[in-house]
Amino acid sequence: MTTPNIHVDRDLDLSNSGRGVWLVKVPKYISNRWEKAPGNIEVGKLKISKVSGQKAQVSLSLSESVLCLGEESIPKEHRLDVSMVTRQTMGVFSHYTPGPNPDDIVPESEKLCLEGKIVQKLECRPYADNCYMKLKLESIRKASQPTRQMKKLDGIVQNFKPVSDHKHNIEYEERKKAEGKKARDDKEVVLEMIFAAFEKHQYYNIKDLVTKTRQPVVYLKEILKEVCNYNLKNPHKNMWELKPEYRHYKDSEASTSNPEPQT
């Protein structure tokens, strides 16, 4: 038994909808250090230099606390390339889920807030100094190492021998062969099953008819060609339908079972 998904309407806090925010893309080695950093330390400083008549220069300097979180050295100074967001409307949302607090008389509800509208996109780029070149060289070396390596064994390794085929593959092949050797019923019996199926629905695909009749596909198609038409156009493309001379839909019975209201 599965629990149905319940959608709960929540209010959206738009108090910060007029605030402009930046979307910053940083290298992976910076994001890894920031994920390791505790919440009570400074991770870096952002510097904005403005010169009259020129575009503002933005730079990022990582803190010593962040630089010491890993074994390998990473660049400290970075520049940020700034681009304006003009043809897109993007925002930053936050979702707050309160924890259980038995002291609260009224339990605190979840909050969904719009933190601001993205007005600038910045891409953080390192300077091509010796530290960055060593970091890049090490990443290339690690990427070039094969995931599998050959090792020489000095002794006998007790392990399971490889099997020629797995159990589930064998069961699947046997089931497939059994389904492929379906016995052909008499033609009249198959026709009765076909007509009984078309009394319920007007159109069928070949897969459904095979399921209902339990007949081989080639044999079933030979019989269907005699009493059915195959649609090649929409809206019932690739569907079978009884030929007009074999149709006996009970329109009169349907109309009597659902009479129209009298005025």
Side-chain angles (χ1 to χ4, degrees), residues 38-52:
N40 57 349
I41 68 169
E42 179 185 278
V43 296
K45 291 184 178 181
L46 201 64
K47 182 180 179 181
I48 303 176
S49 303
K50 293 184 179 180
V51 180
S52 179

Side-chain angles (χ1 to χ4, degrees), residues 136-201:
K136 194 68 177 177
L137 182 62
E138 182 64 18
S139 63
I140 295 174
R141 186 189 64 81
K142 290 181 180 179
S144 62
Q145 290 181 350
T147 55
R148 296 182 178 181
Q149 297 180 355
M150 296 180 61
K151 293 184 178 180
K152 182 181 178 180
L153 301 178
D154 298 329
I156 299 175
V157 178
Q158 299 293 336
N159 205 339
F160 295 102
K161 295 182 178 179
V163 296
S164 58
D165 203 352
H166 293 282
K167 182 180 178 180
H168 62 274
N169 291 336
I170 298 174
E171 294 176 351
Y172 172 76
E173 292 297 333
E174 291 178 351
R175 185 170 65 253
K176 189 175 180 181
K177 290 179 180 179
E179 293 178 354
K181 295 180 180 179
K182 295 175 182 176
R184 294 189 177 188
D185 292 331
D186 292 337
K187 183 177 180 180
E188 296 299 326
V189 176
V190 179
L191 284 172
E192 290 181 3
M193 290 188 288
I194 292 174
F195 289 141
F198 279 102
E199 285 183 358
K200 298 179 181 179
H201 299 286

Side-chain angles (χ1 to χ4, degrees), residues 66-164:
V66 169
L67 296 176
C68 297
L69 290 175
E71 296 180 357
E72 60 182 359
S73 299
I74 62 174
K76 179 178 181 179
E77 303 296 335
H78 299 76
R79 73 176 190 275
L80 281 82
D81 297 336
V82 184
S83 61
M84 301 296 295
V85 179
T86 56
R87 298 184 180 181
Q88 290 179 304
T89 301
M90 297 184 292
V92 178
F93 294 87
S94 63
H95 182 204
Y96 170 71
T97 303
N101 190 352
D103 297 334
D104 292 341
I105 300 176
V106 179
E108 191 177 2
S109 60
E110 297 184 17
K111 295 180 181 180
L112 185 63
C113 305
L114 175 61
E115 299 296 343
K117 178 182 177 182
I118 295 175
V119 294
Q120 285 184 338
K121 293 194 296 184
L122 297 90
E123 187 165 356
C124 182
R125 299 180 181 274
Y127 296 101
D129 54 7
N130 292 333
C131 181
Y132 174 72
M133 298 307 293
K134 290 181 181 179
L135 180 66
K136 194 68 177 177
L137 182 62
E138 182 64 18
S139 63
I140 295 174
R141 186 189 64 81
K142 290 181 180 179
S144 62
Q145 290 181 350
T147 55
R148 296 182 178 181
Q149 297 180 355
M150 296 180 61
K151 293 184 178 180
K152 182 181 178 180
L153 301 178
D154 298 329
I156 299 175
V157 178
Q158 299 293 336
N159 205 339
F160 295 102
K161 295 182 178 179
V163 296
S164 58

Side-chain angles (χ1 to χ4, degrees), residues 10-47:
R10 299 184 179 90
D11 293 333
L12 177 62
D13 186 358
L14 300 176
S15 57
N16 294 324
S17 60
R19 182 172 62 180
V21 296
W22 291 2
L23 176 63
V24 183
K25 180 181 179 182
V26 300
K28 190 174 182 179
Y29 61 84
I30 294 182
S31 63
N32 291 338
R33 294 294 176 90
W34 283 353
E35 288 179 357
K36 297 178 182 178
N40 57 349
I41 68 169
E42 179 185 278
V43 296
K45 291 184 178 181
L46 201 64
K47 182 180 179 181

